[in-house]
Amino acid sequence: MPDNSGPTGSPHRPTILVTGATGNLGREVAGRLSAHGARVKRLVRGLGDQRGQRSGRPGAERVVGDLTAPAAMRAALRGVDAVFLIWPLLDSAPARALVAELAAAAPRVVYLSSTAIDDEAVRQSDPIVQVHADMEALLGDAGLRPLVLRSDTLASNARGWAPQLRAGDVVSGPDIARTAVVDERDVADAAVAVLLGHRGRLGHGPYLLTGPEILTRADQVALLGTALGRRLRFRAVAADLARSRMLADGRPERLVEALVAASLHRPASSRTTDHVERLTGRPAGTFARWAADHAAEFGGARG
Ligand SMILES: NC(=O)c1ccc[n+]([C@@H]2O[C@H](COP(=O)([O-])OP(=O)(O)OC[C@H]3O[C@@H](n4cnc5c(N)ncnc54)[C@H](OP(=O)(O)O)[C@@H]3O)[C@@H](O)[C@H]2O)c1
């Protein structure tokens, strides 16, 4: 275990900045860190965000800032021992200023990346994966020695199906490659383990965080149906139709193009690993468990 004592031998409560703290993953990370007694700074973009206070956890402070605003990030990084870093943008160029601030503040950095990175490739298969590869390189080149957690598809992405499931029993969308869908709570537990050094001396990664089984979208929708007591079906739509629907929903064109490219180019092979268990001490949960635990968000189980 790392030495967590302060200069006088008193226990040191680490201060950890959690980026993306309003998101599916970041809020799980922030909640767990607070529960472990860490001082948590939750980075939020707007003063309007009240979700940290609603959790009522002591030791969680809300800091307002944007990952692309260096002065705000400099202030957010003050006094921070470690950072849980996500980069949700479609372009890595604005990250250069953030990386410079990180290099100056020199906290430990845990970066949430993607299992879709191909370490052998010169260019990655789609723009979103390329951004993660660029981020890993930027952080490494700055001498930050980030601990990289590469995540497979988060189970929480299924929340995006809720509007369709309120209207009927069919989920339609692009039929992206089979992936080892991972419960975001397992990713959060793994992130907390490395942020707090609970797993003792670890290799420097990257860790590949996956669920225990490889699933198609149709598999996921069927498992969600089992949890809800409904016969749900997945209907694949062609990339062009998916594109026009997402644009009609008002999604930004650049995001739409990145998502369509991801659906077309993601490698067909996916694999499971035991890295969640290595980091958390217990095996990764199934998507069936996630679906049962989140049934209420989809209108609850019938029958
Ligand atoms: N989803 C996956 O399958 C997957 C797989 C591998 C890796 N990842 C990585 O994991 C990250 C987190 O996933 P998630 O599902 O938790 O995402 P999410 O629910 O969409 O949350 C994104 C978070 O990023 C914040 N954010 C967006 N732009 C920002 C900016 N310019 N400055 C500061 N904060 C900003 C959002 O804040 P607001 O509330 O203000 O919008 C939100 O808190 C993704 O961004 C991606 O990089 C995801």
Side-chain angles (χ1 to χ4, degrees):
M1 291 285 285
D3 181 5
N4 276 339
S5 58
T8 58
S10 58
H12 173 64
R13 272 178 78 202
T15 300
I16 299 175
L17 178 67
V18 176
T19 66
T22 58
N24 286 308
L25 181 57
R27 63 175 178 251
E28 298 288 344
V29 173
R32 280 163 171 72
L33 287 170
S34 294
H36 276 92
R39 288 192 184 88
V40 179
K41 286 179 151 189
R42 304 170 58 254
L43 186 78
V44 301
R45 282 199 285 184
L47 278 168
D49 174 74
Q50 298 297 322
R51 278 173 271 200
Q53 276 136 12
R54 224 174 38 206
S55 76
R57 290 202 186 282
E61 176 194 351
R62 196 159 46 97
V63 290
V64 177
D66 191 296
L67 288 162
T68 62
M73 293 310 297
R74 191 176 314 145
L77 285 165
R78 213 161 282 140
V80 159
D81 298 296
V83 179
F84 175 70
L85 181 64
I86 67 161
W87 186 257
L89 284 78
L90 295 172
D91 181 2
S92 59
R96 290 184 184 281
L98 169 64
V99 171
E101 297 300 335
L102 286 166
R108 284 189 303 116
V109 176
V110 174
Y111 177 63
L112 200 282
S113 185
S114 166
T115 51
I117 288 180
D118 177 353
D119 287 315
E120 306 303 318
V122 179
R123 294 296 296 170
Q124 299 299 321
S125 57
D126 76 60
I128 295 174
V129 181
Q130 185 62 49
V131 165
H132 286 301
D134 291 346
M135 287 299 298
E136 290 188 15
L138 275 174
L139 292 164
D141 291 349
L144 282 157
R145 302 191 72 234
L147 195 144
V148 174
L149 299 177
R150 292 182 178 171
S151 171
D152 212 306
T153 307
L154 296 177
S156 49
N157 292 356
R159 289 190 169 119
W161 299 335
Q164 293 191 64
L165 292 177
R166 277 194 287 277
D169 289 338
V170 176
V171 172
S172 67
D175 194 10
I176 71 168
R178 300 173 340 132
T179 55
V181 178
V182 61
D183 190 321
E184 69 283 359
R185 297 169 298 181
D186 289 333
V187 176
D189 282 338
V192 166
V194 295
L195 284 162
L196 296 179
H198 280 174
R199 299 304 295 171
R201 196 176 305 188
L202 289 163
H204 222 73
Y207 289 92
L208 308 179
L209 304 180
T210 76
E213 55 201 342
I214 294 174
L215 301 173
T216 61
R217 286 294 163 275
D219 294 331
Q220 276 189 273
V221 170
L223 287 165
L224 186 54
T226 303
L228 299 177
R230 293 167 58 185
R231 287 178 68 86
L232 303 182
R233 283 182 303 113
F234 177 75
R235 189 191 304 135
V237 300
D240 281 348
L241 180 56
R243 177 188 288 111
S244 54
R245 278 191 190 169
M246 287 191 276
L247 290 171
D249 284 347
R251 297 222 209 174
E253 192 172 345
R254 195 154 177 214
L255 173 63
V256 169
E257 290 310 327
L259 291 173
V260 169
S263 73
L264 292 174
H265 298 304
R266 245 165 237 243
S269 64
S270 197
R271 67 187 179 106
T272 60
T273 73
D274 65 354
H275 295 191
V276 165
E277 182 164 7
R278 276 204 240 163
L279 294 178
T280 69
R282 42 161 201 74
T286 60
F287 184 74
R289 180 193 73 171
W290 186 93
D293 290 348
H294 294 82
E297 295 177 34
F298 297 87
R302 284 188 195 154

